[in-house]
Amino acid sequence: MQDTLTSGPALLPVYAQMPVTPVRGHGSWLVDEQGNEWLDAYGGHAVASTGHSHPAVVKAIADQAAKLLFYSAAVPHPLREQLAERIASLCPDPLAKVFFVNSGAEANENAIALARKRTGRRNLVSIRGGWHGRTPGALSCTDGARYEEAAKRAGVPLSTKVAFNDIAGLEAVVDRSVAAVILEPVQGIQGARDFAPEFLEAAREICTRAGAALVFDEIQCGVGRSGAFTAAEVYGVVPDALTLAKGLAAGLPIGATVINPWLAEGLTIGDLGSTFGGGPVVCAATLANLDVIEREGLIANTLVIGERIRTGALALGVKSVQGRGLLLGLCLDRPAAEVQKALFPYRVVTGTSADPNVLRLMPPLSFSAAEADLLLAALGKVL
Ligand SMILES: Cc1ncc(COP(=O)(O)O)c(C=O)c1O
């Protein structure tokens, strides 16, 4: 590593990369430089919601790029307004106001800033195992020693972290100094660890009582992946702010902070901003992507295929399966990294997680029964 940092290629080697160089993609498949096809149960990091290069999404991008590649929100654009309406209509009431950004971290950063502005408080609470991004506010809520150290280096005050599913622990720290409690209803990087419904219900009550904002980070588990458009809907718990990113446009960078009227109250021109946020091309891509999700019944598919993978994995002797829909964590009796590596010769791509024994699956929402069976067959050979 040290040698490659001081000489060699220009690209900083800060990612542990998988042994595949995809040059094309279609549906759940990646095609490498030699023309080999790889089954993608990692979904380009949970981004490829409608699969790779869905023709309808590609066409929407090309058409809009030819008309107007970009203009910022300094001017109105019908697609930006249409997309905001669409997302608001897909989120549970009263989440009805949308701000567009470029990434997950930026969406969380804005949710946190809005909560601080509305409450006039600074403190944040998050959950052990949570991952929210690398910008200051999001970083301060992300669990893990390396992130806490980075936050300290930046002089950012750390959130108070509560143990997973610990209702009494949450109750003990959410007081009138807390601006927001932020959590992922299904913790992605922790290995698709889904909260007990009672915890999320209690979090709602505790926040309401303390006048703190409840923020659901649905950057990984949202956009249909958990079995409804939002995990909030799956759980029947409505936060004050909900953030989306990865799966929205299936590949172009977009994030959205969706808030209720309470958090929107008092906002004036200039309070938020993002040059590239809500540009015409990314809005066209997202609208086309959401059309595909609806037209092809992909949210219902996540439940059917998720269940098929869960049952099949348990039949193979996997200890347990956590997660919702097509955000699944297979709890193994051995290191997940070894299993991920052993699957590469079968040309199957999966993910690891912060839990060394959990293999993370986040395939396209369009993953078919045949593709699920191929994945299970390869797993069966490896386990
Ligand atoms: C739950 C969650 N929140 C936030 C982020 C940060 O998103 P981004 O990398 O787009 O900034 C991620 C990224 O993996 C994530 O999984």
Side-chain angles (χ1 to χ4, degrees), residues 45 103-106 108 131-133 184 188-189 217 219-220 245-246:
H45 211 99
S103 68
E106 205 186 346
N108 283 339
W131 209 97
H132 303 289
E184 304 159 76
I189 289 169
D217 172 346
I219 283 151
Q220 194 161 145
K246 296 184 189 297

Side-chain angles (χ1 to χ4, degrees), residues 297-340:
L298 298 188
I299 296 185
N301 191 60
T302 62
L303 291 170
V304 175
I305 303 301
E307 200 43 47
R308 191 177 187 100
I309 295 175
R310 185 185 296 270
T311 315
L314 291 173
L316 291 174
V318 165
K319 285 198 326 199
S320 61
V321 180
Q322 57 196 21
R324 301 274 180 147
L326 280 177
L327 178 53
L328 294 174
L330 310 191
C331 306
L332 306 170
D333 59 3
R334 66 197 82 174
E338 277 175 18
V339 174
Q340 182 198 41

Side-chain angles (χ1 to χ4, degrees), residues 21-41:
T21 305
V23 289
R24 282 188 295 123
H26 58 92
S28 308
W29 297 87
L30 297 170
V31 185
D32 69 19
E33 287 167 311
Q34 286 77 42
N36 299 310
E37 303 237 333
W38 296 63
L39 183 62
D40 187 11

Side-chain angles (χ1 to χ4, degrees), residues 189-269:
I189 289 169
Q190 190 55 36
R193 193 164 67 157
D194 50 318
F195 277 98
E198 306 78 59
F199 181 83
L200 297 188
E201 286 156 18
R204 176 64 283 176
E205 267 181 49
I206 291 167
C207 285
T208 304
R209 225 181 301 138
L214 179 62
V215 179
F216 278 5
D217 172 346
E218 297 215 13
I219 283 151
Q220 194 161 145
C221 65
V223 194
R225 187 161 288 285
S226 298
F229 184 74
T230 60
E233 187 182 334
V234 172
Y235 278 95
V237 176
V238 185
D240 300 293
L242 187 148
T243 54
L244 299 167
K246 296 184 189 297
L248 273 174
L252 291 194
I254 178 170
T257 307
V258 191
I259 58 173
N260 65 11
W262 173 64
L263 277 182
E265 205 179 298
L267 284 182
T268 56
I269 285 173

